[in-house]
Amino acid sequence: MWEEQLKECLAGGILRRQEPMKRHTTFQVGGPADYYAVPGTEEQLRRLTDLLRKEKIPYYILGNGSNLLVSDQGYRGVIVSTEELAGCEIRGTKVLAGAGIRMNRLAGEICRAGLTGFEFAAGIPGTLGGAVVMNAGAYGGEMAQILTKARVMTPEGETRELSREELGLSYRTSCIADRGYLVLSAELDLSVGEPAEIRARMEELARRRKEKQPLEYPSAGSTFKRPEGHFAGKLIMDCGLAGFRVGGACVSEKHCGFVVNDKNGTAEDVYRLCLEVQKRVRKAYGVNLTMEVKILGDFC
């Protein structure tokens, strides 16, 4: 019954059944979602989420899948992709962009406009919406430094505009997930710079990432949050876990903060490996590593 209603909400847009989530996550693992929906407009997104809440159908909002581990059994509900909400408008030093725009594409647009301040984010493998939710950061920069406001949809389907202060941004978190908000767009405030210098800085950071991070393998970036007073990667390395493997997943020898899928691993391999890493670090140092990667679906 509600499948026809889903189609009506999307007004001829994309709706797929039994969509393999390994196609939509950077770990390249994950079983099928019951439905995979791609709204083409904010209004379609609002109608769709209203329906899902009304019918009590589980759903998950997906950006680039770069911070997500989906079970091999898949997801019993609707995956809602924001990939079509990817517009970008630049006025002076202000940048207004949709939640679904990928960070590398946004970095290119900003560079061509001769604006600086976003270089740190160029290599973050996600969307702007996810970066706002997680207050994403790298190389001394983070979204809180350049974000002025975000438009969100509340669980009741209302649109609100939140200032940087109202977003409650702190280390790799914000108020958005706790309040059940959905990011629609965000505004950034940058500075005027020279495109050639901006591009050179982006290329330098890309080179540093390639040297220090296992970008040649599927992963979700830094797997664990940085525990206070420590570095997750160093704790893992000091436990002798560099190269430690469960099935096709292993702790990267290049950077122990990364769990990678290097031999056609499964989601269960990745999950069990993370649990073992947490257990050994806790036993050796009394430190609880919290996963930065979100878990979706059922695991053993």
Side-chain angles (χ1 to χ4, degrees):
M1 171 69 75
W2 51 265
E3 181 174 341
E4 291 304 315
Q5 293 176 283
L6 288 177
K7 292 178 181 177
E8 289 176 10
C9 289
L10 294 170
I14 298 172
L15 180 67
R16 302 185 191 129
R17 296 189 65 181
Q18 295 299 303
E19 177 72 4
M21 289 308 297
K22 65 182 180 181
R23 297 177 181 172
H24 304 284
T25 63
T26 55
F27 263 129
Q28 297 180 15
V29 298
D34 289 345
Y35 290 92
Y36 181 83
V38 186
T41 65
E42 288 185 7
E43 177 57 24
Q44 287 184 7
L45 177 61
R46 186 193 62 77
R47 293 201 307 263
L48 177 61
T49 52
D50 280 351
L51 171 66
L52 296 173
R53 284 191 297 269
K54 177 182 175 182
E55 298 294 331
K56 294 182 171 54
I57 300 166
Y59 68 94
Y60 183 85
I61 304 298
L62 180 73
N64 191 39
S66 59
N67 199 37
L68 183 65
L69 179 64
V70 182
S71 161
D72 296 316
Q73 283 71 49
Y75 182 65
R76 305 287 72 80
V78 181
I79 297 291
V80 181
S81 170
T82 61
E83 62 189 79
E84 290 296 315
L85 306 180
C88 178
E89 182 179 358
I90 299 177
R91 295 181 179 178
T93 60
K94 295 289 199 303
V95 179
L96 178 63
I101 192 168
R102 297 194 179 190
M103 297 290 273
N104 57 355
R105 180 193 152 196
L106 182 56
E109 298 278 356
I110 289 171
C111 176
R112 284 188 287 275
L115 296 178
T116 183
F118 196 74
E119 293 90 328
F120 75 89
I124 294 175
T127 59
L128 178 61
V132 172
V133 173
M134 294 297 293
N135 186 24
Y139 295 106
E142 62 178 7
M143 294 300 296
Q145 297 168 354
I146 57 174
L147 182 65
T148 57
K149 58 186 177 182
R151 288 176 59 252
V152 302
M153 187 183 297
T154 70
E156 295 72 37
E158 299 175 354
T159 300
R160 292 186 58 193
E161 188 171 275
L162 301 179
S163 68
R164 172 170 46 205
E165 292 72 26
E166 291 173 314
L167 287 166
L169 302 168
S170 58
Y171 177 69
R172 300 300 175 264
T173 190
S174 68
C175 73
I176 294 171
D178 289 342
R179 297 183 184 178
Y181 292 159
L182 193 169
V183 178
L184 299 173
S185 63
E187 182 187 81
L188 312 176
D189 189 13
L190 304 170
S191 303
V192 175
E194 289 294 330
E197 295 178 5
I198 295 166
R199 176 62 62 184
R201 174 62 174 163
M202 288 166 55
E203 290 174 352
E204 177 196 354
L205 293 181
R207 176 184 57 77
R208 289 168 62 181
R209 282 188 175 94
K210 188 174 182 180
E211 288 175 354
K212 297 181 179 180
Q213 299 176 7
L215 303 182
E216 64 272 28
Y217 297 113
S219 79
S222 296
T223 309
F224 302 97
K225 293 182 180 180
R226 186 178 65 215
E228 187 174 354
H230 300 276
F231 291 98
K234 186 174 188 310
L235 290 171
I236 295 167
M237 180 177 67
D238 290 348
C239 281
L241 293 174
F244 178 71
R245 174 178 301 279
V246 172
C250 78
V251 174
S252 168
E253 295 187 64
K254 183 184 283 188
H255 190 315
C256 289
F258 283 61
V259 169
V260 300
N261 173 13
D262 71 336
K263 291 185 181 296
N264 297 314
T266 65
E268 194 67 32
D269 291 341
V270 174
Y271 183 70
R272 287 171 51 214
L273 175 59
C274 290
L275 290 182
E276 187 63 25
V277 167
Q278 288 174 313
K279 183 177 78 173
R280 296 197 187 189
V281 169
R282 185 166 53 247
K283 181 178 180 180
Y285 298 104
V287 176
N288 291 315
L289 293 181
T290 301
M291 288 189 68
E292 191 165 309
V293 176
K294 292 181 173 60
I295 306 296
L296 192 63
D298 297 325
F299 289 82
C300 298

